[in-house]
Amino acid sequence: MALIPHRLAPRLTASLGSLALLFGGGALATLGVTAVGVAAAPSAQALQNTLARTPQMGFNNWNSTHCRAEFNEDMVKGIADLFVSKGLKDAGYTYVNLDDCWALPQRDASGNLVPDPVRFPHGIKAVADYVHSKDLKFGLYSSAGTKTCDTKGFPGGLGHEQQDANLWASWGVDYLKYDNCNNQGVDAQQRYRAMGDALKNTGRDILYSICEWGSSQPQTWARDVGNSWRTTGDISDSWNSMLGIAHANQALAPYAQPGAWNDPDMLEVGNGGMTDTEYRTHFSLWAEMASPLLIGSDLRTATPATMEILTNKDVIAVDQDPLGRQGTVISSAGGLVVMSKPLADGSRAVTLTNETDTAQTVATTAQAAGIGGARSYTLKDLWSHRSTTVRDGAVSAQVPPHGTAMFRLTPSEATDLPAGAYQLSDRAWSKAQNATGPVERDHSNGGGASGDGRALSLNGTTYPKGLGTSTGSDITYYLGRTCKNLTVSVGVDDETAAGDDSAATFRIYRDSTVVADSGPRTAGQGPLKLSADLTDGENLRLTATSPGSAHHVHADWADARLACGDGPKAGEHALSDLAWSGSTNAWGPVEKDTSNGEYAAGDGRPISIGGTAYAKGLGVHAPSTVTYYLGGTCTSLTTDVGVDDEVGRHGTVDFTVLADGVAVAHSGTAIGGDAPVRLTAPLTGAHELTLQVTDAGDGNTYDHADWADPVLTCA
């Protein structure tokens, strides 16, 4: 189900006809009609099956063939051939997937699924073998219900999870799309976890694509169950459908990570319902959102323009970037939308989208994109493939109606880092060497190919951010003499077996001087937090060693936070008068000195909580984070918090103040109409302040949340 603007939710959720306008296909057949909210991103790690470390790429027949007779064995084999001959395999497309209607309507006497002998006379295994012979992977479809979604009612997997999973594994299936029709009202988590467990039990690596339509907020629970989850209803081949789905998916960026992706449904590129300009927007936004790229058009009749879009390696590289971050909306006003996506080399992918019906100039800056402060930038147009140098960080384009300009913005080399707090794993290193396998971002070092590690874990504590190395590693970052401090938790990853030879020593260098030394750390010890003074250092160097041992030791640099530049000047500051370093917000932008109106900037009202009006503050909508760089010089924050009076008794939220990622003040649950809650947060020595609002666990309808009269005190 799509996300519905909250002030419209009571009216729209009562109308199935209204919802039908938002969805294609038959996904509403068993869907409970309710407004869906977004909870704050949980700390759960992604499913550890080592698959989909970047979003999956491939083909699915449904959008182009549905259940027509042309969907058959010869067509599927032909698609595999076209993957090779048309350069799709070289561009990164891997999976050739079948959708609904591949089976007979009834199971056999043993309860097994039976391939349709007319469509697939040689069986599914023969088709999978053919796909594998092309060095590609093969996918199949089912539903977490008694029947699949097609009106003919093919057998679903509910109650047959292990039997079906074993059969698919015996056929050589590499990918399962698991739909949500005819689910008999059984709890979604129960149904999808049952199949996830069954797939694991087969012992075969099978990518698990959860197609639950977003109806039970799968982003809040599916990361340790499957590799991707549908966030909306079915896409259709129209501008309005594609754009509405993009808007719903954009709000869910915090949930995406390597191995676990928000899925806004398959690509319609080339199916004929949109212009090539609109299809370029479609492809650009899906790549910017780190979405699975599953071709849904008939490759046998694809035009050159369609193939040019689908094989654009510069755009695909953004989608497949190993950092694994979904882009976020950094500005949206009057139908002009700008997104920024951090990339592993320290650059940003920037999209400038014109949703209006007339040509418009769409613009942003490197500062707004999150990499301000460089002396110059390389700006590469990812559709024309031309590069230019810009000195002022300006990014601008004349964009046609329904069009998107897409750029890769890269700071010049040897650039001083601007003031701010950074996760080290989000920065590009100058050089890195590792004894076994590559240095890994945000997961442990598996000792083999890139992406083969697991969640960073030290004595049972898991970390979403950090560097995974082996002993014998040496990593250098250029700082440019602007950075002050590095804090990091170090230790031997839990996947290393305990033993006398499983020690690692971590050292941090400012240029050639050791500024922090862990001493030997052994497997099973808790994490050790190091703090390193980097003042006036040009380079940061990290080493992990294990003297006298040939044993492969997994050495983690977890939650490595780099603080650079000066914070606010001494004195008291109204927080809304300062520039934040980053923000996320469920609906509309974060507002300064007004409430959040859910749509364009400036559409809020004067801040008011429990009848008390405030001239200063921040208006947000749960879930939300607003981050400020402090530079270690501030001492406290005081603020009133609560749900804005404009929503009446609606809305429930929780406010938390974090200093360097640690909670230092918490409101408890605030309800619309309640009196404001006063928070005082100690910040002494903190380099980063984060204001976090969650939906208190009940969905984010009407959650207009105010940070009222927030005052930051700095020494």
Side-chain angles (χ1 to χ4, degrees):
M1 174 178 283
L3 300 175
I4 300 168
H6 305 128
R7 50 188 165 200
L8 300 181
R11 180 170 69 251
L12 287 184
T13 55
S15 170
L16 185 61
S18 295
L19 283 172
L21 295 175
L22 298 176
F23 298 95
L28 292 175
T30 58
L31 180 60
V33 183
T34 57
V36 177
V38 184
S43 58
Q45 297 298 315
L47 174 66
Q48 296 299 319
N49 63 3
T50 73
L51 300 173
R53 301 307 301 180
T54 59
Q56 60 264 35
M57 296 175 61
F59 168 87
N60 180 292
N61 66 281
W62 184 257
N63 286 350
S64 59
T65 70
H66 294 276
C67 204
R68 295 191 298 272
E70 65 188 281
F71 168 50
N72 58 31
E73 180 177 306
D74 289 341
M75 187 216 99
V76 176
K77 290 181 177 180
I79 293 298
D81 294 339
L82 289 170
F83 262 42
V84 177
S85 64
K86 287 184 175 288
L88 293 163
K89 177 183 171 183
D90 289 343
Y93 294 92
T94 302
Y95 293 96
V96 177
N97 297 341
L98 311 190
D99 210 279
D100 207 348
C101 309
W102 60 267
L104 288 178
Q106 301 295 327
R107 295 173 179 268
D108 67 15
S110 300
N112 287 317
L113 296 165
V114 181
D116 185 325
V118 175
R119 294 183 191 271
F120 298 97
H122 298 95
I124 297 298
K125 186 179 187 306
V127 179
D129 289 345
Y130 187 86
V131 171
H132 292 152
S133 75
K134 303 293 181 178
D135 197 24
L136 298 168
K137 295 184 178 181
F138 176 78
L140 212 56
Y141 167 98
S142 186
S143 183
T146 54
K147 294 182 181 298
T148 63
C149 292
D150 190 80
T151 55
K152 295 180 179 66
F154 301 96
L158 187 63
H160 293 267
E161 289 85 1
Q162 197 61 62
Q163 182 177 18
D164 290 352
N166 291 342
L167 182 64
W168 297 329
S170 73
W171 289 346
V173 170
D174 305 298
Y175 186 118
L176 174 66
K177 174 184 173 182
Y178 205 41
D179 218 329
N180 196 30
C181 288
N182 300 295
N183 59 49
Q184 308 305 310
V186 179
D187 176 73
Q189 292 194 45
Q190 177 183 333
R191 289 181 289 114
Y192 283 97
R193 287 184 185 276
M195 181 55 78
D197 290 342
L199 295 175
K200 293 176 193 175
N201 292 339
T202 67
R204 182 174 179 82
D205 287 336
I206 300 176
L207 190 153
Y208 188 22
S209 172
I210 293 172
C211 184
E212 187 264 0
W213 320 326
S215 56
S216 69
Q217 301 184 64
Q219 68 275 6
T220 65
W221 55 264
R223 290 199 294 186
D224 62 348
V225 179
N227 297 108
S228 65
W229 51 88
R230 277 277 294 280
T231 57
T232 70
D234 293 354
I235 195 171
S236 61
D237 188 18
S238 72
W239 168 253
N240 287 336
S241 172
M242 182 274 292
L243 193 63
I245 283 175
H247 288 168
N249 198 67
Q250 285 166 336
L252 306 181
Y255 299 96
Q257 67 182 80
W261 308 104
N262 293 311
D263 178 8
D265 206 3
M266 297 173 287
L267 296 168
E268 291 282 7
V269 175
N271 277 327
M274 288 183 266
T275 67
D276 288 338
T277 295
E278 291 168 337
Y279 283 140
R280 279 190 289 273
T281 290
H282 182 12
F283 199 67
S284 298
L285 294 181
W286 262 233
E288 187 78 358
M289 295 188 296
S291 306
L293 300 180
L294 294 172
I295 298 168
S297 55
D298 191 338
L299 293 173
R300 298 169 297 178
T301 58
T303 66
T306 292
M307 294 307 302
E308 182 181 1
I309 293 170
L310 293 175
T311 59
N312 185 325
K313 291 187 177 182
D314 284 336
V315 175
I316 290 171
V318 171
D319 181 79
Q320 295 292 296
D321 185 79
L323 184 59
R325 297 277 291 277
Q326 179 172 324
T328 57
V329 175
I330 59 174
S331 68
S332 177
L336 308 182
V337 182
V338 180
M339 295 184 69
S340 176
K341 181 181 192 293
L343 302 175
D345 66 355
S347 62
R348 294 290 189 275
V350 177
T351 54
L352 310 177
T353 300
N354 174 16
E355 298 177 357
T356 77
D357 296 330
T358 59
Q360 301 280 345
T361 297
V362 189
T364 190
T365 65
Q367 183 71 36
I371 50 172
R375 299 184 185 96
S376 64
Y377 299 85
T378 299
L379 186 66
K380 184 174 184 179
D381 185 322
L382 303 189
W383 286 105
S384 72
H385 309 293
R386 292 190 294 268
S387 295
T388 57
T389 299
V390 293
R391 298 290 176 185
D392 57 0
V395 182
S396 178
Q398 182 75 2
V399 184
H402 297 187
T404 292
M406 189 171 189
F407 299 96
R408 191 178 188 116
L409 184 67
T410 307
S412 58
E413 292 184 6
T415 298
D416 296 350
L417 285 175
Y422 306 92
Q423 279 285 349
L424 203 58
S425 61
D426 292 346
R427 308 302 305 176
W429 49 67
S430 307
K431 58 182 178 180
Q433 65 182 45
N434 202 54
T436 310
V439 175
E440 300 284 6
R441 301 178 192 269
D442 303 331
H443 56 283
S444 67
N445 171 261
S450 178
D452 65 352
R454 300 183 181 274
L456 296 165
S457 179
L458 300 174
N459 198 27
T461 300
T462 58
Y463 299 84
K465 303 294 295 181
L467 301 172
T469 71
S470 64
T471 48
S473 60
D474 194 333
I475 311 168
T476 299
Y477 290 85
Y478 177 77
L479 302 181
R481 302 190 184 281
T482 62
C483 295
K484 294 184 172 185
N485 180 262
L486 175 73
T487 58
V488 60
S489 295
V490 299
V492 175
D493 193 271
D494 289 344
E495 65 186 358
T496 296
D500 293 338
D501 60 349
S502 62
T505 297
F506 299 80
R507 293 188 179 93
I508 303 173
Y509 295 78
R510 181 184 63 235
D511 295 327
S512 59
T513 302
V514 176
V515 289
D517 188 325
S518 70
R521 307 295 296 174
T522 59
Q525 279 188 293
L528 176 68
K529 192 163 187 176
L530 300 178
S531 180
D533 181 3
L534 303 177
T535 304
D536 293 327
E538 187 172 12
N539 292 285
L540 164 66
R541 182 181 171 210
L542 311 175
T543 66
T545 59
S546 185
S549 173
H551 184 67
H552 172 48
V553 179
H554 303 263
D556 293 345
W557 302 85
D559 193 27
R561 295 171 178 262
L562 187 65
C564 303
D566 296 324
K569 295 179 181 179
E572 291 189 344
H573 305 272
L575 207 57
S576 58
D577 292 342
L578 301 177
W580 55 67
S581 56
S583 68
T584 63
N585 209 53
W587 290 92
V590 176
E591 299 284 4
K592 292 187 176 184
D593 302 330
T594 70
S595 67
N596 171 267
E598 298 191 11
Y599 294 102
D603 65 353
R605 300 174 183 177
I607 291 172
S608 177
I609 305 173
T612 300
Y614 298 85
K616 305 292 292 181
L618 302 173
V620 304
H621 196 300
S624 171
T625 60
V626 188
T627 303
Y628 290 85
Y629 179 67
L630 303 182
T633 61
C634 298
T635 57
S636 67
L637 173 75
T638 59
T639 181
D640 284 356
V641 298
V643 177
D644 195 272
D645 288 340
E646 66 188 351
V647 298
R649 293 294 297 175
H650 299 289
T652 55
V653 298
D654 264 296
F655 297 82
T656 304
V657 181
L658 301 100
D660 290 337
V662 177
V664 291
H666 181 231
S667 68
T669 299
I671 301 173
D674 285 358
V677 175
R678 187 71 166 174
L679 297 181
T680 300
L683 300 174
T684 301
H687 292 280
E688 188 173 56
L689 164 68
T690 302
L691 308 179
Q692 177 180 283
V693 182
T694 68
D695 65 6
D698 64 351
N700 68 346
T701 300
Y702 296 107
D703 285 350
H704 296 212
D706 295 337
W707 299 89
D709 196 23
V711 176
L712 182 68
T713 301
C714 302

